[in-house]
């Protein structure tokens, strides 16, 4: 080092010869960090516009309750946001489903109050607590519910999600990053849905049902958040599709 080379000492002013070097290094680091952040963000999927519809306010609807085995409500008295004839999936608050509350009301005319969670055609009502989910006062005439329409056996590729987060309770509500949360929701009884890579009978998601009383076959928990090909029977219940999955034919999709 010659006597003319600048030398930085922390407690002394920066030598004039090093100021431009430090300034250029700082600008390069800031620009590099910004570019790296943009590059990483651009590789992430758009979480979509799903969300709690607090702007709608609490919704009170009436309908006939069916367990598929996840609880769904065939709406007979709706609101501006939830039309008559709609088949509405139900969940509890937090990571809890509504199966326990719904089991005693199956087949009855039910009044339900809650907050709508909505992403496109996928929606769900998070029930309020207390007495906001109960049998309607007048059970003298219970409207007929649509007879399930069998649509045959299907082999479908997509992702197993919990219907509440996927509808917009969380963003993103799918994928590996959401897998642990989805498993907790599904273990809590939140309705499981299969989000498809291609529409099935015009729908982008199906409500998953297991055999008997299983809302989700336990064997499928290991495949949550992954792209898989499932096989099973599809039936239309009202205006949603229900997919009864055969757990013997689960294949990771490429």
């Amino acid at each position: 080092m010659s006597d003319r080379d600048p030398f930085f000492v922390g407690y002394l002013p920066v030598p004039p010869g090093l100021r431009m070097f430090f300034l250029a290094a700082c600008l390069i680091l800031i620009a590099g960090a910004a570019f790296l952040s943009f590059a990483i963000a651009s590789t992430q999927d758009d979480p979509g516009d799903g969300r709690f519809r607090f702007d709608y306010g609490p919704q009170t609807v009436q309908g006939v309750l069916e367990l598929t085995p996840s609880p769904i409500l065939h709406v007979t008295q709706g609101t501006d946001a939830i039309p008559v004839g709609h088949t509405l999936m139900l969940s509890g608050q937090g990571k809890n489903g509504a199966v326990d509350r719904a089991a005693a009301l199956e087949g009855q005319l039910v009044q339900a109050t809650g907050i709508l969670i909505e992403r496109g055609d996928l929606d769900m009502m998070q029930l309020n607590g207390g007495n906001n989910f109960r049998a309607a006062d007048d059970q003298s005439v219970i409207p007929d519910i649509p007879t399930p329409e069998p649509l045959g056996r299907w082999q479908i590729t997509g992702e197993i999600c919990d219907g509440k987060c996927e509808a917009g309770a969380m963003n993103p509500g799918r994928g590996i990053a959401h897998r642990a949360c989805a498993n907790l929701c599904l273990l809590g009884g939140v309705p499981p849905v299969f989000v498809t890579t291609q529409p099935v009978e015009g729908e982008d998601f199906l409500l998953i049902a297991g055999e008997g009383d299983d809302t989700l076959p336990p064997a499928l928990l290991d495949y949550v958040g992954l792209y898989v090909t499932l096989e099973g029977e599809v039936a239309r219940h009202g205006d949603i599709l229900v997919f009864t999955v055969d757990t013997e034919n689960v294949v990771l999709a490429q």
Side-chain angles (χ1 to χ4, degrees), residues 227-244:
Y227 279 106
V228 293
T229 299
L230 302 180
E231 188 171 331
E233 300 290 333
V234 176
R236 188 182 300 280
H237 289 234
D239 61 0
I240 66 172
L241 300 181
V242 177
F243 189 19
T244 302

Side-chain angles (χ1 to χ4, degrees), residues 156-180:
I156 309 169
T157 298
E159 181 181 332
I160 301 168
C161 302
D162 74 274
K164 186 175 182 180
C165 290
E166 174 61 15
M170 296 285 285
N171 280 310
R174 68 170 72 177
I176 292 295
H178 186 71
R179 186 177 185 189

